[in-house]
Amino acid sequence: MAQLKVTPKVNWGRKILLVALGLALLGNYLRGTQLPVDVSGLSPLILFRISQLGVGLATIKILFIDANSWRFKAGFLAMSLFLYYVGSNAHLLDIFFYFVILVAAKDEDYRWLLRCYLIEVAVIMLSLALLTFGGILNDMTMVRPGGTLRMSFGSVTPSDFAAHVFHWLVAYFCYRNFKLSWIEYLVSLVATWGVFRFTGTRLDLILMAVTLVLAVSYPKLKKLINCLDGWSLGAIMLVYLGFNLAINYLFTPEWTWFRRVDELLSHRLTYGQLALQKPLTLFGRYFRENGNGKFNPHQPYFFIDSSFVRLLAMQGILLFTCFVIMLIFLAWRFKAERTYSLLLGLGLVLLSAAIDHHLWELSYNFIFLASLTDNQHFIVKRK
């Protein structure tokens, strides 16, 4: 008798998730580029709708395809409404979008999501760079004191492009479990040098250099992490968050060392302090910003670069508290599961969040999506 062939069951949930993720990521990335300015008919609203479509598909997956209990669905809807309300107050919906994709990714293999991110972001970065060199897009160039030309390669600012490259490297190193070949190290070194050479972003140069050092030191770092428990790691993150908020709030320009740190950070402490001096709210508030990406010379410059200050000042005490709880949970989970590469990725993202505002943008930080996913591939086996 001929054997019957069993046709593998199509995983529609994963297919919908990848499409949803791709759309949400695409809209998020392109809104921070010159495309809406230089390409007629491609407005920021259209790109926003692309992200909305991805979030809508993810919501359908959560409510109608995944085998979630009615309590889980009710909790998801309640949290979504809260995040949407807080985001609307601050005119920032990135956290709401991120949360929906995060929940839709529950129990999925995190490697699939990383592959989608790595491929899509790489294609977008290279395409925008080619469009810029071809003259189709205007490159948002800037000049530092001394005449150093900084290029953005299609992004709104040079620092945005550098941040994209940094987060892409972190995601790739996590995908490879921080175990790289000499060719991968060489390419990473060239990319780090190239980003600094053409964008002039000193802080991202430091972050990418730290990433390479951690990759080289990964075998020893695993032993160090083994000596700590999840709660200790969570406590370290709390101290780090507290320090970041304190240094912004207590900034005193009359003190020489404070002033030098502020200059090194491109006056991030100055504007962070201005934000924290405003009354903090429970559910967030709107700040009118005037930054390099959309600079109006008739108004004074003001932009909150620190993601931590931004979250507390613009999206409120309650959401900031939820963020702290999430960080403790992630530290505990990554340590308990021995997914040390994801733990290092989380640490690098938090280092970057102190100086940039991209913490809740899907096209930058990708590590939070590992909150509820299947992370077995990244587990360090016990000897």
Side-chain angles (χ1 to χ4, degrees), residues 313-334:
M314 297 185 70
Q315 296 182 305
I317 298 171
L318 191 55
L319 187 52
F320 185 83
T321 303
C322 293
F323 169 67
V324 171
I325 294 171
M326 186 196 75
L327 283 186
I328 295 174
F329 165 76
L330 280 178
W332 176 84
R333 183 188 179 190
F334 292 160

Side-chain angles (χ1 to χ4, degrees), residues 208-262:
M208 286 187 276
V210 169
T211 304
L212 286 167
V213 171
L214 290 182
V216 173
S217 308
Y218 184 63
K220 295 181 179 179
L221 284 174
K222 287 190 294 185
K223 297 178 181 178
L224 176 62
I225 296 172
N226 275 329
C227 299
L228 303 171
D229 57 25
W231 298 111
S232 299
L233 292 169
I236 291 172
M237 290 182 182
L238 287 179
V239 171
Y240 173 71
L241 284 176
F243 172 79
N244 271 277
L245 294 176
I247 196 173
N248 279 273
Y249 187 78
L250 300 175
F251 169 63
T252 306
E254 288 77 17
W255 293 7
T256 302
W257 73 272
F258 245 145
R259 189 169 60 252
R260 288 178 178 173
V261 171
D262 188 43

Side-chain angles (χ1 to χ4, degrees), residues 65-244:
I65 296 178
D66 292 345
N68 295 316
S69 67
W70 68 268
R71 289 186 180 87
F72 183 91
K73 294 176 183 178
F76 162 74
L77 291 174
M79 190 64 181
S80 296
L81 289 173
F82 165 67
L83 292 176
Y84 187 85
Y85 173 70
V86 171
S88 297
N89 289 341
H91 296 191
L92 295 169
L93 291 176
D94 291 326
I95 294 183
F96 166 68
F97 286 176
Y98 204 118
F99 172 74
V100 175
I101 300 295
L102 185 154
V103 176
K106 182 173 71 74
D107 297 330
E108 294 288 345
D109 190 336
Y110 186 55
R111 285 179 301 172
W112 285 91
L113 309 183
L114 272 178
R115 288 169 187 163
C116 177
Y117 169 87
L118 291 169
I119 293 171
E120 185 170 357
V121 170
V123 169
I124 295 173
M125 283 195 294
L126 292 173
S127 299
L128 290 175
L130 291 174
L131 290 173
T132 300
F133 286 125
I136 298 174
L137 289 181
N138 292 317
D139 197 19
M140 183 64 74
T141 56
M142 297 180 182
V143 180
R144 281 197 186 278
T148 303
L149 183 66
R150 305 174 62 202
M151 302 172 64
S152 68
F153 297 99
S155 292
V156 171
T157 66
S159 58
D160 283 346
F161 177 77
H164 272 303
V165 177
F166 163 73
H167 283 92
W168 192 93
L169 277 180
V170 171
Y172 182 77
F173 281 28
C174 287
Y175 183 76
R176 296 282 290 120
N177 271 324
F178 280 80
K179 299 173 183 176
L180 308 180
S181 66
W182 69 269
I183 295 178
E184 290 169 314
Y185 278 119
L186 180 60
V187 172
S188 299
L189 279 170
V190 171
T192 300
W193 173 86
V195 168
F196 178 69
R197 167 66 178 80
F198 292 105
T199 68
T201 49
R202 298 165 299 191
L203 298 177
D204 283 288
L205 170 67
I206 295 172
L207 288 170
M208 286 187 276
V210 169
T211 304
L212 286 167
V213 171
L214 290 182
V216 173
S217 308
Y218 184 63
K220 295 181 179 179
L221 284 174
K222 287 190 294 185
K223 297 178 181 178
L224 176 62
I225 296 172
N226 275 329
C227 299
L228 303 171
D229 57 25
W231 298 111
S232 299
L233 292 169
I236 291 172
M237 290 182 182
L238 287 179
V239 171
Y240 173 71
L241 284 176
F243 172 79
N244 271 277

Side-chain angles (χ1 to χ4, degrees), residues 243-310:
F243 172 79
N244 271 277
L245 294 176
I247 196 173
N248 279 273
Y249 187 78
L250 300 175
F251 169 63
T252 306
E254 288 77 17
W255 293 7
T256 302
W257 73 272
F258 245 145
R259 189 169 60 252
R260 288 178 178 173
V261 171
D262 188 43
E263 291 171 355
L264 176 65
L265 298 177
S266 301
H267 302 293
R268 283 169 168 82
L269 297 183
T270 297
Y271 303 114
Q273 184 181 68
L274 288 175
L276 291 177
Q277 285 177 342
K278 302 289 184 180
L280 297 178
T281 63
L282 195 61
F283 297 106
R285 58 179 295 177
Y286 172 65
F287 280 77
R288 185 181 294 277
E289 296 179 287
N290 184 37
N292 284 332
K294 297 179 180 178
F295 183 70
N296 183 349
H298 302 293
Q299 297 177 2
Y301 180 93
F302 175 72
F303 194 85
I304 308 171
D305 279 293
S306 169
S307 291
F308 306 135
V309 175
R310 197 176 189 82

